[in-house]
Amino acid sequence: MRFNVSSRTIAILLSLLVAAVLTTLAWVAPTLPFEQGVLAAGITVAACFLLLYLMFEALIFREINNIYEGLENIKRKEFRRMSNKFLFRPEPLKRMRDEILDMAQRRQQEIEELQRLQVLRREFLADVSHELKTPIFAAQGFVHTILDDDEVDEFTRKKFLQKAATSLDALDALVQDLVTISQLEKGVVRMRRQRFDVGQLVQDIFEQLELKAAQRQVTLTLEPAGPATEPLLVVADRNRIRQVLINLIDNAIKYGREQGHVRVALQPAGKSMRVRVHDDGEGIPKQFQNRIFERFYRIDKSRTRESRTAGGSGLGLAISKHIVEAHKSTIRVRSEPGAGTTLEFKLPRPRRTPEPAA
């Protein structure tokens, strides 16, 4: 049963008890022999210690427990539950101070993270509106030109309609990429894992991007070169990994050095297959390397128009990052200005089946 007694009442009662003990010792001690006086003094010290300890327990520790109980109610959903009994526990005030400082630090980190996300949200909305307006305005311009001018010849009409269709196709690709990255972030898209030869997949992508590479006179190379003695098998979603490799190789061609070299290296590493895509372009400064996977982020803003005309939506690396992470891996960036850029990730290899005994 818990008594609701005020701290002032408890302090008065304990003070009276201490005063009574000391008065009794002062009254009785002169009449006692030396040995009994020493024993009485020891008993008095023990009694005063017990009373003072109870005073601290009642006046200070109880209030600390009330404060700590309030802290527990605030953070119960985030941190492990801690006992609020301070009896026989050292330095309760220091412990409470540490808890308050820890909670304040966590709240400050949450506030800073929310502020960072708010900035990213504003940048994302601005980038999306900018990327959407470009193809919409282009299509509107071509269509309204045809509608407003009845004397447009058939050749010009068809040409403008083709340009409007191209702009709308770019808009559709952008919307599809936004839907894809949203589904990947929510975990809606499931990876359909299967065994396939990643070396053959890279060769197929080289053939698909051969024309684009020829326009910039870029050489595409697969390492190891030449016919492989055995397929380079991995277990992953083939279509999604194809999307990742197309994005990485296409970026390497686009931003690498003209008349340069793009190398794709496949290297078995234990239970994984290491995939590297390297270009010999200008490289990425270190302060930008952590941001290249953000949506619509481009290091060189002057390349925005070039990327858009080349068919890029600015979401390729962001989508690639989420696909690779869905395969329990990460894309690593290694780049130095003037030394090119290497993007690397790992894919699981199939387990080896034991050979039957002869």
Side-chain angles (χ1 to χ4, degrees), residues 6 26 29 43 69 71 80-81 97 121 138 141 145 168 174-176 186 190 205 207 220 236 238 278 292 318 332:
S6 66
I43 294 174
E69 184 178 356
L71 294 176
R80 62 185 177 88
R81 180 173 296 184
R97 173 181 173 276
R121 182 181 63 84
T145 300
L168 293 175
L174 176 60
V175 173
Q176 290 298 327
K186 293 179 180 178
R190 293 186 178 181
I205 295 173
E207 294 178 4
L220 304 178
R238 190 179 190 278
H278 175 78
I292 62 174
R332 302 182 183 276

Side-chain angles (χ1 to χ4, degrees), residues 68-82 84 103 107:
Y68 201 90
E69 184 178 356
L71 294 176
E72 287 291 320
N73 292 332
I74 295 174
K75 68 177 185 177
R76 183 172 293 122
K77 295 182 179 180
E78 302 176 12
F79 307 106
R80 62 185 177 88
R81 180 173 296 184
M82 301 177 65
N84 61 357
M103 179 177 293
R107 293 294 177 268

Side-chain angles (χ1 to χ4, degrees), residues 19-227:
V21 171
L22 293 177
T23 302
T24 302
L25 177 64
W27 182 271
V28 176
T31 63
L32 296 176
F34 178 76
E35 292 81 3
Q36 294 179 357
V38 171
L39 179 61
I43 294 174
T44 303
V45 170
C48 289
F49 170 78
L50 181 61
L51 290 173
L52 289 174
Y53 188 85
L54 291 176
M55 182 183 298
F56 275 100
E57 175 69 24
L59 300 181
I60 299 178
F61 289 2
R62 188 182 69 172
E63 300 301 327
I64 291 175
N65 282 333
N66 292 334
I67 296 173
Y68 201 90
E69 184 178 356
L71 294 176
E72 287 291 320
N73 292 332
I74 295 174
K75 68 177 185 177
R76 183 172 293 122
K77 295 182 179 180
E78 302 176 12
F79 307 106
R80 62 185 177 88
R81 180 173 296 184
M82 301 177 65
S83 173
N84 61 357
K85 294 181 180 179
F86 275 83
L87 191 61
F88 304 120
R89 290 195 175 186
E91 299 182 341
L93 294 175
K94 181 177 181 299
R95 185 181 177 191
M96 185 186 68
R97 173 181 173 276
D98 293 340
E99 288 291 330
I100 294 174
L101 291 178
D102 180 67
M103 179 177 293
Q105 184 178 7
R106 290 176 182 271
R107 293 294 177 268
Q108 184 62 33
Q109 291 175 351
E110 291 177 0
I111 292 172
E112 292 175 355
E113 179 66 14
L114 288 174
Q115 291 174 344
R116 187 186 71 85
L117 292 176
Q118 186 177 11
V119 172
L120 291 177
R121 182 181 63 84
R122 287 199 299 264
E123 292 179 354
F124 174 69
L125 290 176
D127 289 336
V128 168
S129 62
H130 176 72
E131 296 289 339
L132 289 174
K133 284 190 299 184
T134 302
I136 291 175
F137 286 170
Q140 280 181 332
F142 292 126
V143 172
H144 283 296
T145 300
I146 296 173
L147 292 176
D148 295 340
D149 191 353
D150 296 332
E151 298 180 359
V152 176
D153 58 272
E154 186 65 24
F155 175 79
T156 304
R157 183 187 300 271
K158 185 175 181 180
K159 181 179 178 180
F160 279 15
L161 288 176
Q162 287 177 343
K163 290 184 176 182
T166 301
S167 297
L168 293 175
D169 289 340
L171 178 62
D172 178 68
L174 176 60
V175 173
Q176 290 298 327
D177 283 347
L178 287 171
V179 171
T180 299
I181 198 170
S182 176
Q183 291 176 340
L184 288 170
E185 288 178 344
K186 293 179 180 178
V188 177
V189 179
R190 293 186 178 181
M191 299 296 113
R192 299 179 180 179
R193 291 175 171 79
Q194 58 180 327
R195 292 160 55 109
F196 64 92
D197 185 355
V198 68
Q200 184 61 49
L201 177 62
V202 173
Q203 291 287 5
D204 295 341
I205 295 173
F206 280 177
E207 294 178 4
Q208 178 180 343
L209 299 177
E210 184 178 4
L211 180 60
K212 182 174 290 188
Q215 291 174 349
R216 304 196 77 237
Q217 299 181 11
V218 174
T219 304
L220 304 178
T221 304
L222 174 63
E223 298 177 359

Side-chain angles (χ1 to χ4, degrees), residues 5-16 58-59 62-63:
V5 182
S6 66
S7 299
R8 181 178 298 177
T9 302
I10 296 175
I12 292 175
L13 291 176
L14 291 176
S15 299
L16 292 175
L59 300 181
R62 188 182 69 172
E63 300 301 327

